[in-house]
Amino acid sequence: MMVPIYVINLAGSQERLARAEQQLHAQQLDFERIEAVNGKTLTAEQVSAVYSEAANRRNFYRPLSAGEIGCYLSHRRCWQTLIQSGAEYAVILEDDFTLCGDLTDSISAIINTNMAIDIVKLCSYQGRERPVKYSTQISGEQHLVVHDKPMSGCCAYVISRQGAKQLLAHSTKISRPVDTDIQYCWETGVDVVSIKPYPVAQDNFFDSDIAAKGRNKPKPYPLQKQWLALTTLPAQIMARKNLIKNLKSHAQHLDSRSH
């Protein structure tokens, strides 16, 4: 199965694009460049058309930066491109990635599981980890894992056509960063797991310039982060339990067919 690879890259970031191209071509992989949306160039009218300040105040703990709005719109471009392509899956890479494993092998292992998973994270944001609540082997040393909460960051992931459709429908007006919205799987209906070991790492060779991560973030709303963590926890736990239940059922079905 041919799975398109989309690399998000800002206009003018030629060195980053060249580095991405070098890595992918070293593994005999072609890709399509998706021009990133530069949030800093959006007019106030353009921002208001895609971003809800009222929903942001309810759903997140601070206003979004221009870079975060541009980053979200860049991923939406990738989801739209996947749907238009007719493919069932796509790999989406921000251009600050490093390939540390066989990407083709990982993609094949994910697709061949035939599991109803919408997003598989291929990378851990800045090398961070979370407790693993469930793990199932899919090929050799590769496992699909469910963390206590979906991993943050959108540097590298596989997304299904159905997942792209649901996220596009969910995000006609955005209120959170794209990676945070993806963590709210009980709202989007998009299941999220990770593959381990990760075939991709986030590159420290460049500062990320798609979302200007970690820089110029607006001042948080008082106590909102703590309130959201408390009030969303039950839904988060229920969504995780349902996902694990479905994965276990699928694994048992495959096991019964092999005997």
Side-chain angles (χ1 to χ4, degrees):
M1 178 185 294
M2 294 296 294
V3 178
I5 298 173
Y6 304 136
V7 174
I8 302 172
N9 173 255
L10 271 173
S13 296
Q14 294 301 319
E15 190 176 0
R16 302 168 70 94
L17 182 61
R19 184 171 170 82
E21 182 177 27
Q22 180 185 36
Q23 293 184 80
L24 290 168
H25 285 182
Q27 294 194 14
Q28 290 77 53
L29 293 170
D30 293 323
F31 69 94
E32 179 178 347
R33 176 182 176 270
I34 304 295
E35 183 161 332
V37 177
N38 187 342
K40 295 179 181 179
T41 67
L42 297 175
T43 66
E45 184 178 9
Q46 288 173 321
V47 170
S48 65
V50 298
Y51 172 60
S52 170
E53 292 184 1
N56 167 263
R57 188 62 181 84
R58 293 191 305 271
N59 297 335
F60 200 50
Y61 64 91
R62 58 169 173 78
L64 298 193
S65 68
E68 287 171 322
I69 293 171
C71 183
Y72 205 130
L73 297 179
S74 302
H75 284 269
R76 278 180 55 86
R77 280 186 176 178
C78 292
W79 304 337
Q80 290 164 340
T81 304
L82 166 58
I83 290 170
Q84 293 165 1
S85 74
E88 291 300 318
Y89 297 90
V91 176
I92 298 177
L93 302 171
E94 295 180 351
D95 62 7
D96 57 338
F97 70 88
T98 293
L99 295 182
C100 53
D102 188 325
L103 188 57
T104 299
D105 190 44
S106 296
I107 296 170
S108 297
I110 291 166
I111 302 304
N112 290 337
T113 63
N114 293 317
M115 292 183 180
I117 298 296
D118 298 307
I119 288 181
V120 180
K121 295 290 187 82
L122 305 174
C123 176
S124 170
Y125 175 57
Q126 295 183 342
R128 297 176 185 175
E129 281 298 344
R130 293 185 183 276
V132 172
K133 296 298 185 178
Y134 177 74
S135 175
T136 182
Q137 183 183 26
I138 56 173
S139 176
E141 296 182 357
Q142 297 180 96
H143 291 72
L144 288 185
V145 303
V146 178
H147 292 95
D148 63 341
K149 182 180 181 180
M151 298 298 291
S152 58
C154 279
C155 177
Y157 59 98
V158 175
I159 185 169
S160 71
R161 182 181 184 83
Q162 182 60 32
K165 285 182 178 179
Q166 290 177 228
L167 286 176
L168 283 169
H170 171 77
S171 61
T172 53
K173 280 275 194 173
I174 66 176
S175 61
R176 308 180 183 106
V178 60
D179 62 326
T180 304
D181 235 5
I182 287 173
Q183 289 180 311
Y184 278 68
C185 49
W186 59 92
E187 290 185 5
T188 65
V190 174
D191 288 328
V192 185
V193 300
S194 296
I195 188 171
K196 297 196 75 175
Y198 297 113
V200 181
Q202 192 163 24
D203 198 350
N204 294 320
F205 188 80
F206 299 104
D207 286 334
S208 178
D209 62 5
I210 295 173
K213 295 182 178 67
R215 302 195 300 273
N216 304 319
K217 289 185 177 178
K219 184 178 179 180
Y221 307 124
L223 300 178
Q224 180 77 344
K225 188 172 186 177
Q226 295 87 339
W227 172 251
L228 288 171
L230 179 65
T231 56
T232 61
L233 184 60
Q236 177 185 315
I237 291 173
M238 182 60 66
R240 185 180 69 226
K241 287 182 176 179
N242 288 338
L243 174 57
I244 292 173
K245 179 181 177 180
N246 291 339
L247 292 177
K248 285 182 175 179
S249 175
H250 182 85
Q252 290 169 356
H253 176 68
L254 291 180
D255 186 60
S256 66
R257 288 178 58 185
S258 65
H259 289 87

